[in-house]
Every structure is written in structure tokens, then in C-alpha cells.
Amino acid sequence: MPASILNQNSPPARPIDVVPETYTTPATQSPQKLYAEVVVNIPLQKVFHYSIPPYLRENLAAGMRVKIPFGNKITTGFCVGFTGTPFTDKTKDILGVIDKTPLANDLMLEITRWLSSHYCCGWGEAISAVIPPVVRSNRKEKWNTFARCSGQTSTLNQESLLQMKSRASKQARALEILLEHSNEISAKELIRISGCKMPGLRQLEKKGFIILENRLPDAVNTYRTTGQLQQHLTLTQEQQNAFDTICKKLTQPKPGVILLHGITGSGKTEIYLQAITRSIEQGRKALFLVPEISLTPQTIQRIRARFNRVAVLHSNLLGTVHQSEWNDIKEDKVDIVIGARSSIFAPLKNVGLIIIDEEHENTYKQENNPRYNARDIAILRATYENALVIMGTATPSLESYHQALNGNYEKVVLSKRIGERQLPPVDIVDMGEEVRKRRGYNIISQRLQYYMNQSLARNEQVILFLNRRGFAPYINCKRCGFVLKCQRCDIPMTFHKKFNTTLCHYCHAETRPPESCPDCLANTINYRGFGTEKIEEEIRNKFPDCKIIRMDSDSMRVRDAYEKALTAFERGEFHILLGTQMIAKGLDFPNVTLVGVISADTLLNLPDFRASERTFQLISQVAGRTGRGTKGGRVVVQSFNPRHYSITYAAAHDYEGFARKELEYRKQLNYPPFGKLARIVFRGPKEDKAKEKASIVGDKLKEFAKTHGDHLKILGPSPAPVTKINNLFRWHILLKAQNHTSIHDALQGIAEMLKPSKSVQTMVDVDPYMML
């Protein structure tokens, strides 16, 4: 193993702000294998030593799982190396070896070790996170249960469903899902979505409402085709210049990172595909990361048309498919892996190119342990494998843009759309003025409705964007001001009209909406605000002859729903596509001539220093969905803050202007990219305990900061913006420093204080994206 892994005298070394320049293939393991270094899936940066019985020594290699005695129980650990000098003379024996071959190779062990150190989690936690559960379970092919509606179900009316809800709400939910999606779905998926367990489904079958059928899963769609492949398209001069730069980099021993800054519709995907071809011609392979599972179908379609040996990895795959894809990658049967965030850990050998599409997206950041950013892991992996990283986007993250300005990344610009098509004009509608003119609030402004009428009359398509799901974001009483809040969280419940329920979008608690005010008992309940469900109802009323499809996490819950919806819209089966951020990027529909942003203010008002950047990015990205064909396009942005710089710069398609202004603000406050951040959240069922723990840790950190001068600042402790989630009160502390070294020194100094207890849980997030 690498020498850094073999050092047992301390926890993994802290990472530096620049990734390592070299990676040497580890030397052959010690032939004696007297003691194994083992890590366990716990939040502890510690390596344990175990004796290896003679009969296991030939079977054990680094990266395999082992059965070990741990405290007073038997548990599973990962062998990460070997040593001849254990920490203690009293070592316990390994009880058994689980795997026949390593689940993690030497490179992945080194990456997870860095990940553990940088993101302050256990090494065992990191390894467990990068190997999919289905691979760890080593499941074999088995019979699956599928559910579909019976003929009797079609006779159910809304009143019958409401009666069933009062007696068996989860069974009613399962029926609604089956009725909504018509096609059969696996019982496992239906249970996950509806919450109705298998006994409930058996009851529905007994009543004659559904049919359950057991059979083997369909053959795995591995995307390894052998048919006629499409030829590459001819590049424009600007694309050719970008491609030439990439080809030059691919021949260098240390290719580094290219920031491909191309406006929407400029042909970034074609450059990706031709770069993959060049990498394969050089005998190397490619990883292609996309930010959303919803983008995967179109990406797969384009790549399958050009290449034979393609694998797909994302969390929405069936277990058997996921395992098959992982094994094929590991067995060297593919050249290209496409997937979301976690596919950066795919066991692909000899990687020469890593593509990160829409690199600015916050979905590349994982929000549970280990809280890694796939963009940073990609750069680390590429450094180890001497691969090129291409980060493509129309709206670069300010961190990546700043790296390019400083010369750490090579910036390549695509400033023109394919076919010399122009970026669409953007109309900003002042909704405050709209309210005054029309003497009341209307969700759809007069200007947006006018342009919708024009586009639909020409048989063109429209995309409407709102980053808020549900029907009404909160319910209040007009008389006394009561607001219906989640009893377990400090946020209002959202009303979902289709299921006649109120839902907490944090803990998923569900209640029936009140008919009268619980406080004053008056019949003055009011549904305030709007979400995608209400917009859908409004559009159906205004445009009764048009077919509309809604894409959000409520309507796209069943596997393959994304792909089916997008395919139907592409075929012209729907006139209007309404959705949340899953439709804001990466989609290419030439017949879309109008995009409407219903409210540009949903992100702008969040208590987050990245709120302006995210608003600019979302407006720019969703605006890029139109004007891609010969018919041109237009964008209408509705806002109560029409003169905010993030909106005006997005309307002008001026990324450089926005970046200059936003970077000025960031520099004044020493926020990223000029400074580094870490966030510690304290959660507990009793607020005073969470506050007390946060105060003790905060005092310790402030003492530590005094010795670092201006290099480290501690903000807080204070209540988190969302003060309670799932019956846990939340306090947080923000660490702000010039570099990661200062942050890791501070966190190392309080490591013992951050161990979880029964009364307070702690969560450390290095380089946080979510500040709520």
C-alpha cells in the first residue's frame, strides 16, 4: 500500500488545498500478512489492527471486507492494509473474509482516505459510501413482485378514495399512484413511494383492486450495442478551437483541468463526445458525470448513438441492474461510464478523461456523510490517474471561474450558438407593478399569457419553470393569523391538493388540511402562495385545449417517469412542460419557443450567501431551453425584485458582469472562492442541550481562533435558519478561514468534543453548500 496509508501512528493526514501531484501504484503487499489494518463504518478516524489467522492469509487482500470482533459484538470492517507492528500486543483475530476479490482497489482506498480526512468522517464511512449497497450485499437474481391495477380499480371514484383514506390512508395512496401511472411497477417501488407495506398491498389484492405478480426481472439493459453508430458532427470553428485545446491537453503527462465555458446551445455535448473518442483512441477510458438523474436519458441516448461499450450508474437503477453495471465496469467490459454524483467512484480502470457536465450544480455535493463534492473528487482522481478533467457549463461556479482567472484551470470559451442562432430576448415583468395595474395578484402575468397564446397558436411548445412543488406553500387563518406548521419541524406545511393532504418537505410528516382554524375555530382557512400543482391548475383553466405535463418530485416518483415524460414532450404529445429545477438544464427541444419563469424570487430570498449566484444560474439555464431551433425563442421572467443584479445580468446574458459584481461582494466578506468554510450543526431533542453543546464548542473554537489572528473566524453559535427538523432542535457554528489547513487544525482541536452523544448529535460539513 502507499506509505501514507501504512502510517498507523496518526489518523489520516489533513489534505492540502492543492491535490497531490503524483500517484504511484502501490507496492506488492507484505508476504507475511501478520496483522491487518481494518476500518469500520463509524464516525471515527481510526485504524484498528487485527491478527490474521494463518488459514486466511492467502485469501485476504486490501479492499476486502472482513468479519471482526468489535467491542462485545461481531461486525464488518474493511481491510485497508497490512503491518508487522500492531498498536497493541493484545490483538484479536479476524473471524473471516467476506469477499473473493477486493471491492475497493488501491486507488480507491487512497481516495477514500483523503475523503475521510478532508470531510471529517470515518475512513470506514467513506469506503461504505463509495461502494453501492447492492454491490456490498452481493445479491443474486431473484423473483420480483410487480403490481398493477385490476379492472375493478377503474370504477373507483374520488369519493370512494376519500373514504378509503380515512380508514387506510397508505392503501389509498398506493391505489392513487397505480391509477396515476397506469403501467405496472415493482412492489418494492410502490412500497417506497406510498409507504404501504406488503401486507397492505396483499389486502388490496384480496379486495380485488390490484393484481400482484411474481416473475424474474427483465433482462439488464447494459447499453453495450453492436449496431451501426452515428458519425460525429462537423464542428464549427469555435468548437474546433476548443477541441484542439482538449486534444493537446490529452497528450500531456499532467493534463490538468479545462473549464469549458459555453453559452447554452453552443455545442458543448458534441465536444464532449469527440473528446471521448480521442481518449478511447489513446487506449484510455472516460467518466461522464451529469448533475441530475433526469438528464441521464438524453445523455445516454446521445452517447449510445456514438459508442458501443457504455455503462450507466445512478441511484434510480434497479438493484440487479446496478450490480450488473458495476461488475461489468470492474471486469473491464466498458469504455464509458455515465452517471450522477456517485459514479465518480466507479471501478473504471485507466481513466483518461473525466467530464463534469453543468459543473456549477449543487447536486454534485452530497448532503450526508461523507459530505463530498464530486467535482473536487473528480479533480483528485484525475490527478492520481493523470487524466484530463473537462468542466462544462454556461454558468460556471464562482469557485471554478476564479480558479480559471488565477490560471489554475485553462478556460475555453464558446460564445456562439450552433448555426449562428441568437440567445433569446428576455422580458422582465415587474410583478409589483402588475399587481397595481390589475388590482390584485395573478400568477400568470399579462405579458406571459400573451406570448403563451402566440406560441401555442403556432403549434409551438412552452416550458414554465417554478422551483417550488405542491399546491400552496402554507396555510393560514385570515382571522387570527394562525399558520399550520409541522409539529416536528419549524416550517409551514405545504398543501398538496391532488392527495388532499398537507406535507412537510423536510421530515415528510403528513396530515389532513384543517377545515377550520385550530386556534380560533373560525372557518377562515386560507391557502397562500403557489407551487407547481397550483400553476398546473391555473394553466389548465386558462388553456383548456392544451395538454400539459408536470415534472417535479411529486409527479416523477416512479422509475423511468423522467424518461417517459421527456420522450412524450419531445414527440409533441404535450404543448406545455411545467416543472422545477429538473427541467432547467441540459434539455434540448427545438420546438420550444417560449420559457416562462413564474417566480425568480424563490431562491433569491433564502438566507444563503450563494442565493444570488443560484438565482442567476437558474434563470440563465432555464432561458437556454428555448431558441434552439430555427423558430427562435423568448423568455419571460416574473419577479418582485426586477432590478436585482442577478436578474438583470441573467436577462442580459452577461455572465462576466455578474461574476465581477458578485466576486466583489464575496471578497469583502471573505466568502468562497476567497475563503474556506466549514459548518458544524448541533441537533438534539432538547433545545437547551443543543444550545449548551454549541456554546461550549464555540468557546473552544474562539480560544483557538485567537492564536490564528485574522486567518480564522468563528461565527456563532446561533440557531440554524431552520431551527427544528424531525423533532431535533438545531444550532450551528460557521468557521471561516483563508485555507483548509486552518479549518482542519481547528476541527482537529475539538475532535473529541464532536463525538455524538445520546443528547446531542453533531454534523461537520466542510465546504458546505446548504446553509439552512
PDB file of all heavy atoms in Angstrom, residues 431 434 438 440-446 448 466 471 529-531 534-535 538-539 542 597-599 638:
ATOM      1  N   MET A 431     -43.656  42.241 -11.083  1.00  0.00           N
ATOM      2  CA  MET A 431     -44.919  41.733 -10.560  1.00  0.00           C
ATOM      3  C   MET A 431     -45.564  42.702  -9.569  1.00  0.00           C
ATOM      4  O   MET A 431     -46.782  42.688  -9.376  1.00  0.00           O
ATOM      5  CB  MET A 431     -44.705  40.371  -9.908  1.00  0.00           C
ATOM      6  CG  MET A 431     -44.320  39.274 -10.903  1.00  0.00           C
ATOM      7  SD  MET A 431     -45.514  39.071 -12.253  1.00  0.00           S
ATOM      8  CE  MET A 431     -46.861  38.265 -11.384  1.00  0.00           C
ATOM      9  N   GLU A 434     -47.423  44.832 -11.826  1.00  0.00           N
ATOM     10  CA  GLU A 434     -48.541  44.023 -12.335  1.00  0.00           C
ATOM     11  C   GLU A 434     -49.693  43.995 -11.334  1.00  0.00           C
ATOM     12  O   GLU A 434     -50.863  44.089 -11.709  1.00  0.00           O
ATOM     13  CB  GLU A 434     -48.032  42.610 -12.606  1.00  0.00           C
ATOM     14  CG  GLU A 434     -49.059  41.665 -13.191  1.00  0.00           C
ATOM     15  CD  GLU A 434     -49.119  41.688 -14.700  1.00  0.00           C
ATOM     16  OE1 GLU A 434     -48.295  42.400 -15.321  1.00  0.00           O
ATOM     17  OE2 GLU A 434     -49.988  41.010 -15.262  1.00  0.00           O
ATOM     18  N   ARG A 438     -53.434  45.551 -12.205  1.00  0.00           N
ATOM     19  CA  ARG A 438     -54.574  44.632 -12.298  1.00  0.00           C
ATOM     20  C   ARG A 438     -55.357  44.556 -10.985  1.00  0.00           C
ATOM     21  O   ARG A 438     -56.294  43.778 -10.860  1.00  0.00           O
ATOM     22  CB  ARG A 438     -54.075  43.241 -12.704  1.00  0.00           C
ATOM     23  CG  ARG A 438     -53.348  43.270 -14.040  1.00  0.00           C
ATOM     24  CD  ARG A 438     -52.767  41.912 -14.414  1.00  0.00           C
ATOM     25  NE  ARG A 438     -53.770  40.949 -14.806  1.00  0.00           N
ATOM     26  CZ  ARG A 438     -53.515  39.709 -15.224  1.00  0.00           C
ATOM     27  NH1 ARG A 438     -52.249  39.314 -15.310  1.00  0.00           N
ATOM     28  NH2 ARG A 438     -54.481  38.881 -15.541  1.00  0.00           N
ATOM     29  N   GLY A 440     -54.701  43.361  -8.025  1.00  0.00           N
ATOM     30  CA  GLY A 440     -54.695  42.030  -7.419  1.00  0.00           C
ATOM     31  C   GLY A 440     -53.592  41.190  -8.026  1.00  0.00           C
ATOM     32  O   GLY A 440     -53.055  41.515  -9.094  1.00  0.00           O
ATOM     33  N   TYR A 441     -53.264  40.093  -7.338  1.00  0.00           N
ATOM     34  CA  TYR A 441     -52.162  39.263  -7.798  1.00  0.00           C
ATOM     35  C   TYR A 441     -52.663  38.175  -8.733  1.00  0.00           C
ATOM     36  O   TYR A 441     -53.626  37.475  -8.429  1.00  0.00           O
ATOM     37  CB  TYR A 441     -51.439  38.623  -6.612  1.00  0.00           C
ATOM     38  CG  TYR A 441     -50.265  37.778  -7.041  1.00  0.00           C
ATOM     39  CD1 TYR A 441     -49.119  38.382  -7.554  1.00  0.00           C
ATOM     40  CD2 TYR A 441     -50.321  36.393  -6.975  1.00  0.00           C
ATOM     41  CE1 TYR A 441     -48.044  37.619  -7.975  1.00  0.00           C
ATOM     42  CE2 TYR A 441     -49.237  35.618  -7.392  1.00  0.00           C
ATOM     43  CZ  TYR A 441     -48.109  36.243  -7.895  1.00  0.00           C
ATOM     44  OH  TYR A 441     -47.063  35.487  -8.324  1.00  0.00           O
ATOM     45  N   ASN A 442     -52.013  38.056  -9.868  1.00  0.00           N
ATOM     46  CA  ASN A 442     -52.282  36.990 -10.823  1.00  0.00           C
ATOM     47  C   ASN A 442     -50.985  36.215 -11.053  1.00  0.00           C
ATOM     48  O   ASN A 442     -49.933  36.819 -11.315  1.00  0.00           O
ATOM     49  CB  ASN A 442     -52.783  37.555 -12.157  1.00  0.00           C
ATOM     50  CG  ASN A 442     -54.173  38.158 -12.034  1.00  0.00           C
ATOM     51  OD1 ASN A 442     -55.169  37.477 -12.216  1.00  0.00           O
ATOM     52  ND2 ASN A 442     -54.226  39.444 -11.696  1.00  0.00           N
ATOM     53  N   ILE A 443     -51.068  34.888 -10.959  1.00  0.00           N
ATOM     54  CA  ILE A 443     -49.862  34.071 -11.080  1.00  0.00           C
ATOM     55  C   ILE A 443     -49.217  34.233 -12.452  1.00  0.00           C
ATOM     56  O   ILE A 443     -48.001  34.343 -12.577  1.00  0.00           O
ATOM     57  CB  ILE A 443     -50.201  32.587 -10.819  1.00  0.00           C
ATOM     58  CG1 ILE A 443     -50.710  32.407  -9.394  1.00  0.00           C
ATOM     59  CG2 ILE A 443     -48.981  31.706 -11.056  1.00  0.00           C
ATOM     60  CD1 ILE A 443     -51.193  31.004  -9.083  1.00  0.00           C
ATOM     61  N   ILE A 444     -50.051  34.266 -13.487  1.00  0.00           N
ATOM     62  CA  ILE A 444     -49.560  34.436 -14.855  1.00  0.00           C
ATOM     63  C   ILE A 444     -49.754  35.893 -15.258  1.00  0.00           C
ATOM     64  O   ILE A 444     -50.883  36.387 -15.296  1.00  0.00           O
ATOM     65  CB  ILE A 444     -50.297  33.508 -15.835  1.00  0.00           C
ATOM     66  CG1 ILE A 444     -50.217  32.053 -15.366  1.00  0.00           C
ATOM     67  CG2 ILE A 444     -49.739  33.656 -17.244  1.00  0.00           C
ATOM     68  CD1 ILE A 444     -48.828  31.488 -15.312  1.00  0.00           C
ATOM     69  N   SER A 445     -48.658  36.584 -15.545  1.00  0.00           N
ATOM     70  CA  SER A 445     -48.749  37.993 -15.927  1.00  0.00           C
ATOM     71  C   SER A 445     -49.383  38.132 -17.307  1.00  0.00           C
ATOM     72  O   SER A 445     -49.443  37.176 -18.091  1.00  0.00           O
ATOM     73  CB  SER A 445     -47.358  38.629 -15.927  1.00  0.00           C
ATOM     74  OG  SER A 445     -46.549  38.032 -16.925  1.00  0.00           O
ATOM     75  N   GLN A 446     -49.848  39.333 -17.603  1.00  0.00           N
ATOM     76  CA  GLN A 446     -50.458  39.577 -18.909  1.00  0.00           C
ATOM     77  C   GLN A 446     -49.470  39.336 -20.049  1.00  0.00           C
ATOM     78  O   GLN A 446     -49.827  38.787 -21.094  1.00  0.00           O
ATOM     79  CB  GLN A 446     -50.977  41.020 -18.971  1.00  0.00           C
ATOM     80  CG  GLN A 446     -52.205  41.263 -18.108  1.00  0.00           C
ATOM     81  CD  GLN A 446     -52.669  42.710 -18.170  1.00  0.00           C
ATOM     82  OE1 GLN A 446     -51.851  43.625 -18.187  1.00  0.00           O
ATOM     83  NE2 GLN A 446     -53.970  42.921 -18.196  1.00  0.00           N
ATOM     84  N   LEU A 448     -46.777  37.295 -20.061  1.00  0.00           N
ATOM     85  CA  LEU A 448     -46.518  35.873 -20.240  1.00  0.00           C
ATOM     86  C   LEU A 448     -47.700  35.190 -20.916  1.00  0.00           C
ATOM     87  O   LEU A 448     -47.519  34.363 -21.819  1.00  0.00           O
ATOM     88  CB  LEU A 448     -46.235  35.216 -18.883  1.00  0.00           C
ATOM     89  CG  LEU A 448     -45.984  33.698 -18.908  1.00  0.00           C
ATOM     90  CD1 LEU A 448     -44.853  33.333 -19.855  1.00  0.00           C
ATOM     91  CD2 LEU A 448     -45.676  33.170 -17.502  1.00  0.00           C
ATOM     92  N   LEU A 466     -40.947  26.748 -12.176  1.00  0.00           N
ATOM     93  CA  LEU A 466     -41.144  27.243 -10.811  1.00  0.00           C
ATOM     94  C   LEU A 466     -40.456  26.276  -9.865  1.00  0.00           C
ATOM     95  O   LEU A 466     -40.782  25.082  -9.858  1.00  0.00           O
ATOM     96  CB  LEU A 466     -42.634  27.350 -10.458  1.00  0.00           C
ATOM     97  CG  LEU A 466     -42.925  27.777  -9.008  1.00  0.00           C
ATOM     98  CD1 LEU A 466     -42.465  29.211  -8.764  1.00  0.00           C
ATOM     99  CD2 LEU A 466     -44.406  27.627  -8.684  1.00  0.00           C
ATOM    100  N   PHE A 471     -49.232  22.559  -3.976  1.00  0.00           N
ATOM    101  CA  PHE A 471     -50.285  23.478  -4.413  1.00  0.00           C
ATOM    102  C   PHE A 471     -50.150  24.836  -3.723  1.00  0.00           C
ATOM    103  O   PHE A 471     -50.170  25.878  -4.374  1.00  0.00           O
ATOM    104  CB  PHE A 471     -51.663  22.875  -4.106  1.00  0.00           C
ATOM    105  CG  PHE A 471     -52.813  23.654  -4.695  1.00  0.00           C
ATOM    106  CD1 PHE A 471     -53.226  23.409  -5.995  1.00  0.00           C
ATOM    107  CD2 PHE A 471     -53.468  24.627  -3.963  1.00  0.00           C
ATOM    108  CE1 PHE A 471     -54.280  24.129  -6.563  1.00  0.00           C
ATOM    109  CE2 PHE A 471     -54.522  25.347  -4.504  1.00  0.00           C
ATOM    110  CZ  PHE A 471     -54.929  25.100  -5.806  1.00  0.00           C
ATOM    111  N   GLY A 529     -49.856  31.449  -1.317  1.00  0.00           N
ATOM    112  CA  GLY A 529     -48.747  31.121  -2.198  1.00  0.00           C
ATOM    113  C   GLY A 529     -49.140  30.122  -3.273  1.00  0.00           C
ATOM    114  O   GLY A 529     -50.318  29.799  -3.460  1.00  0.00           O
ATOM    115  N   PHE A 530     -48.143  29.643  -3.985  1.00  0.00           N
ATOM    116  CA  PHE A 530     -48.406  28.706  -5.085  1.00  0.00           C
ATOM    117  C   PHE A 530     -47.191  27.844  -5.341  1.00  0.00           C
ATOM    118  O   PHE A 530     -46.039  28.229  -5.101  1.00  0.00           O
ATOM    119  CB  PHE A 530     -48.780  29.461  -6.363  1.00  0.00           C
ATOM    120  CG  PHE A 530     -47.800  30.534  -6.760  1.00  0.00           C
ATOM    121  CD1 PHE A 530     -46.701  30.232  -7.548  1.00  0.00           C
ATOM    122  CD2 PHE A 530     -47.964  31.844  -6.330  1.00  0.00           C
ATOM    123  CE1 PHE A 530     -45.800  31.209  -7.916  1.00  0.00           C
ATOM    124  CE2 PHE A 530     -47.053  32.830  -6.682  1.00  0.00           C
ATOM    125  CZ  PHE A 530     -45.969  32.517  -7.478  1.00  0.00           C
ATOM    126  N   GLY A 531     -47.462  26.627  -5.807  1.00  0.00           N
ATOM    127  CA  GLY A 531     -46.431  25.688  -6.234  1.00  0.00           C
ATOM    128  C   GLY A 531     -46.793  25.157  -7.611  1.00  0.00           C
ATOM    129  O   GLY A 531     -47.764  25.603  -8.240  1.00  0.00           O
ATOM    130  N   LYS A 534     -50.453  24.104  -8.262  1.00  0.00           N
ATOM    131  CA  LYS A 534     -51.414  25.194  -8.465  1.00  0.00           C
ATOM    132  C   LYS A 534     -51.227  25.834  -9.836  1.00  0.00           C
ATOM    133  O   LYS A 534     -52.210  26.216 -10.494  1.00  0.00           O
ATOM    134  CB  LYS A 534     -51.263  26.246  -7.370  1.00  0.00           C
ATOM    135  CG  LYS A 534     -52.343  27.323  -7.412  1.00  0.00           C
ATOM    136  CD  LYS A 534     -52.290  28.215  -6.186  1.00  0.00           C
ATOM    137  CE  LYS A 534     -53.441  29.213  -6.191  1.00  0.00           C
ATOM    138  NZ  LYS A 534     -53.431  30.058  -4.969  1.00  0.00           N
ATOM    139  N   ILE A 535     -49.976  25.954 -10.266  1.00  0.00           N
ATOM    140  CA  ILE A 535     -49.716  26.505 -11.607  1.00  0.00           C
ATOM    141  C   ILE A 535     -50.361  25.609 -12.654  1.00  0.00           C
ATOM    142  O   ILE A 535     -50.962  26.089 -13.620  1.00  0.00           O
ATOM    143  CB  ILE A 535     -48.194  26.612 -11.865  1.00  0.00           C
ATOM    144  CG1 ILE A 535     -47.522  27.509 -10.819  1.00  0.00           C
ATOM    145  CG2 ILE A 535     -47.934  27.140 -13.267  1.00  0.00           C
ATOM    146  CD1 ILE A 535     -47.986  28.918 -10.833  1.00  0.00           C
ATOM    147  N   GLU A 538     -53.989  26.345 -12.794  1.00  0.00           N
ATOM    148  CA  GLU A 538     -54.202  27.656 -13.414  1.00  0.00           C
ATOM    149  C   GLU A 538     -54.054  27.572 -14.930  1.00  0.00           C
ATOM    150  O   GLU A 538     -54.860  28.138 -15.681  1.00  0.00           O
ATOM    151  CB  GLU A 538     -53.178  28.639 -12.833  1.00  0.00           C
ATOM    152  CG  GLU A 538     -53.282  30.051 -13.370  1.00  0.00           C
ATOM    153  CD  GLU A 538     -54.201  30.929 -12.550  1.00  0.00           C
ATOM    154  OE1 GLU A 538     -54.797  30.432 -11.586  1.00  0.00           O
ATOM    155  OE2 GLU A 538     -54.349  32.109 -12.899  1.00  0.00           O
ATOM    156  N   ILE A 539     -53.026  26.855 -15.389  1.00  0.00           N
ATOM    157  CA  ILE A 539     -52.784  26.744 -16.833  1.00  0.00           C
ATOM    158  C   ILE A 539     -53.906  25.955 -17.508  1.00  0.00           C
ATOM    159  O   ILE A 539     -54.350  26.288 -18.615  1.00  0.00           O
ATOM    160  CB  ILE A 539     -51.416  26.085 -17.097  1.00  0.00           C
ATOM    161  CG1 ILE A 539     -50.281  26.949 -16.554  1.00  0.00           C
ATOM    162  CG2 ILE A 539     -51.216  25.837 -18.582  1.00  0.00           C
ATOM    163  CD1 ILE A 539     -50.221  28.325 -17.132  1.00  0.00           C
ATOM    164  N   LYS A 542     -56.773  28.304 -17.992  1.00  0.00           N
ATOM    165  CA  LYS A 542     -56.550  29.343 -19.000  1.00  0.00           C
ATOM    166  C   LYS A 542     -56.404  28.769 -20.412  1.00  0.00           C
ATOM    167  O   LYS A 542     -56.735  29.425 -21.396  1.00  0.00           O
ATOM    168  CB  LYS A 542     -55.305  30.163 -18.650  1.00  0.00           C
ATOM    169  CG  LYS A 542     -55.471  31.085 -17.439  1.00  0.00           C
ATOM    170  CD  LYS A 542     -54.205  31.897 -17.205  1.00  0.00           C
ATOM    171  CE  LYS A 542     -54.370  32.843 -16.018  1.00  0.00           C
ATOM    172  NZ  LYS A 542     -55.355  33.905 -16.297  1.00  0.00           N
ATOM    173  N   VAL A 597     -40.485  31.988 -16.521  1.00  0.00           N
ATOM    174  CA  VAL A 597     -40.042  31.798 -15.133  1.00  0.00           C
ATOM    175  C   VAL A 597     -41.118  32.425 -14.249  1.00  0.00           C
ATOM    176  O   VAL A 597     -41.239  33.649 -14.186  1.00  0.00           O
ATOM    177  CB  VAL A 597     -38.669  32.448 -14.891  1.00  0.00           C
ATOM    178  CG1 VAL A 597     -38.239  32.251 -13.439  1.00  0.00           C
ATOM    179  CG2 VAL A 597     -37.622  31.868 -15.832  1.00  0.00           C
ATOM    180  N   ILE A 598     -41.916  31.573 -13.590  1.00  0.00           N
ATOM    181  CA  ILE A 598     -43.085  32.058 -12.852  1.00  0.00           C
ATOM    182  C   ILE A 598     -42.678  32.973 -11.703  1.00  0.00           C
ATOM    183  O   ILE A 598     -43.307  34.002 -11.457  1.00  0.00           O
ATOM    184  CB  ILE A 598     -43.915  30.875 -12.314  1.00  0.00           C
ATOM    185  CG1 ILE A 598     -44.346  29.953 -13.469  1.00  0.00           C
ATOM    186  CG2 ILE A 598     -45.132  31.370 -11.542  1.00  0.00           C
ATOM    187  CD1 ILE A 598     -45.228  30.623 -14.493  1.00  0.00           C
ATOM    188  N   SER A 599     -41.644  32.604 -10.983  1.00  0.00           N
ATOM    189  CA  SER A 599     -41.146  33.458  -9.899  1.00  0.00           C
ATOM    190  C   SER A 599     -39.637  33.297  -9.803  1.00  0.00           C
ATOM    191  O   SER A 599     -39.138  32.215  -9.495  1.00  0.00           O
ATOM    192  CB  SER A 599     -41.795  33.100  -8.561  1.00  0.00           C
ATOM    193  OG  SER A 599     -41.208  33.841  -7.508  1.00  0.00           O
ATOM    194  N   GLN A 638     -40.724  36.604 -14.318  1.00  0.00           N
ATOM    195  CA  GLN A 638     -41.588  37.355 -13.402  1.00  0.00           C
ATOM    196  C   GLN A 638     -40.894  37.493 -12.055  1.00  0.00           C
ATOM    197  O   GLN A 638     -40.401  36.509 -11.500  1.00  0.00           O
ATOM    198  CB  GLN A 638     -42.933  36.642 -13.238  1.00  0.00           C
ATOM    199  CG  GLN A 638     -43.682  36.460 -14.540  1.00  0.00           C
ATOM    200  CD  GLN A 638     -45.034  35.772 -14.367  1.00  0.00           C
ATOM    201  OE1 GLN A 638     -45.865  35.810 -15.271  1.00  0.00           O
ATOM    202  NE2 GLN A 638     -45.273  35.128 -13.238  1.00  0.00           N
TER     203      GLN A 638
END
